[in-house]
Amino acid sequence: MFKQPFTRRERDALLQKYRQAYDAYNRAMDEADDDTDDDDDDSADALAERYRVAFAEAKDEYFARLPRIVMSVCPFCDRPLVRSFDPYGLDGLWWDEDAVTREMPACPHFCVIRGALNFGGSKPLAGSFQVRPGPEVPYVIPRLLAFPGMLAVVSQVRMENGYVVYPVSYFAERRPVPEELAANWPRKIYTYTTQLGETGWKADNDVWDFDLLPWLEAGKLRWTAPDSGNDTLSTDAPDQCPYLNLRGERQRMVVQGSRFWTAGLPDGEAVQPIDS
């Protein structure tokens, strides 16, 4: 399933291969739709299929070769949480709001991972798809922390382009039923299967709380130190948490190409462009 993680150069080459094949596939499909000759239709369909296989193979290799990094650690069993991640830029397919990733097994306490991304004053840039990196500073979801035995852990991951990511991972002594959880960051839609085998979905419309200190003082929020490898929880006092009172946008954000805006809840999708 997983292969040797790619370098930046290998990753960029895979993405270029994917985009070229994907664009060629769409052109071939358009030509097939415009052509009325049966023989030409067969030829155009065969060409389109060849390009479809090419971009699918490039996409599969991209996801198989994503780096797997330690993003957090379970506060109950001390097992590191390892997740796939593209640290090179928001143009990578991992950042697509609709992407589906293959992950290494987590401990039985893991529930969901959320996140924030700080651009550090840089201009946000992404691929042709929409990216929903969260806000720029870490937050918690009170609804999730209200479940008995639920704790959150905030950590830090630095990207190669200078962006800083703040994963917030949720763990519980006893996991809530699937329909009570939320989408993993940075996905837009949460799909789940209930204990009765029924499938469902919901959008990200939870309330976010950026005031972390009360959650730290209540013991509901823990953290790993910046640049520590994220495999050990800090034992410092709550008011020493390095993720308190960080500067940055505190709204849902969307990035597509060079466009950057804050978005309201998905129902209305009220967008507010940001000067960048």
Side-chain angles (χ1 to χ4, degrees), residues 119-189:
F119 297 106
S122 299
K123 182 178 181 179
L125 292 172
S128 59
F129 43 80
Q130 288 192 352
V131 176
R132 295 176 182 262
E136 285 195 280
V137 299
Y139 63 94
V140 296
I141 298 177
R143 179 183 68 82
L144 293 180
L145 288 179
F147 287 110
M150 181 75 79
L151 302 178
V153 177
V154 58
S155 51
Q156 176 187 283
V157 175
R158 296 186 185 275
M159 294 180 62
E160 296 289 334
N161 60 3
Y163 298 166
V164 178
V165 167
Y166 299 104
V168 183
S169 308
Y170 291 78
F171 303 86
E173 289 182 291
R174 184 176 181 180
R175 298 177 80 251
V177 294
E179 57 266 35
E180 297 291 350
L181 296 178
N184 284 306
W185 173 79
R187 310 299 163 227
K188 177 182 179 182
I189 300 297

Side-chain angles (χ1 to χ4, degrees), residues 26-276:
N26 286 325
R27 289 195 299 270
M29 289 297 293
D30 290 341
E31 291 173 4
D33 290 341
D34 293 340
D35 215 322
T36 58
D37 186 275
D38 290 342
D39 291 338
D40 287 344
D41 282 352
D42 291 341
S43 175
D45 288 344
L47 185 61
E49 176 61 14
R50 189 175 74 186
Y51 288 132
R52 186 199 66 78
V53 170
F55 81 69
E57 289 178 345
K59 182 178 181 180
D60 287 346
E61 183 174 356
Y62 167 87
F63 281 105
R65 295 187 62 188
L66 279 168
R68 266 75 191 175
I69 67 171
V70 176
M71 285 198 174
S72 188
V73 60
C74 177
F76 299 104
C77 66
D78 298 324
R79 180 173 170 178
L81 176 66
V82 178
R83 300 281 92 177
S84 64
F85 186 63
D86 187 335
Y88 298 113
L90 304 189
D91 58 330
L93 300 175
W94 184 90
W95 290 95
D96 188 338
E97 63 182 20
D98 297 319
V100 177
T101 60
R102 298 180 293 250
E103 303 294 351
M104 298 178 64
C107 75
H109 307 106
F110 173 66
C111 296
V112 63
I113 184 169
R114 305 290 294 187
L117 187 151
N118 196 295
F119 297 106
S122 299
K123 182 178 181 179
L125 292 172
S128 59
F129 43 80
Q130 288 192 352
V131 176
R132 295 176 182 262
E136 285 195 280
V137 299
Y139 63 94
V140 296
I141 298 177
R143 179 183 68 82
L144 293 180
L145 288 179
F147 287 110
M150 181 75 79
L151 302 178
V153 177
V154 58
S155 51
Q156 176 187 283
V157 175
R158 296 186 185 275
M159 294 180 62
E160 296 289 334
N161 60 3
Y163 298 166
V164 178
V165 167
Y166 299 104
V168 183
S169 308
Y170 291 78
F171 303 86
E173 289 182 291
R174 184 176 181 180
R175 298 177 80 251
V177 294
E179 57 266 35
E180 297 291 350
L181 296 178
N184 284 306
W185 173 79
R187 310 299 163 227
K188 177 182 179 182
I189 300 297
Y190 174 49
T191 58
Y192 57 86
T193 301
T194 69
Q195 295 172 327
L196 298 177
E198 299 173 343
T199 59
W201 68 274
K202 58 183 177 181
D204 170 25
N205 57 6
D206 278 307
V207 173
W208 296 351
D209 188 353
F210 295 94
D211 187 7
L212 302 185
L213 185 57
W215 299 101
L216 291 162
E217 292 176 335
K220 298 290 287 184
L221 179 63
R222 305 287 303 276
W223 80 90
T224 65
D227 304 314
S228 66
N230 296 329
D231 58 358
T232 304
L233 293 173
S234 174
T235 58
D236 290 344
D239 61 359
Q240 298 302 305
C241 178
Y243 307 115
L244 295 175
N245 304 316
L246 298 179
R247 298 181 61 183
E249 189 68 48
R250 297 183 176 224
Q251 300 185 67
R252 287 168 169 82
M253 300 187 298
V254 183
V255 186
Q256 185 173 20
S258 60
R259 297 177 61 229
F260 175 39
W261 65 93
T262 59
L265 298 183
D267 290 343
E269 200 66 21
V271 295
Q272 302 171 334
I274 296 177
D275 294 331
S276 57

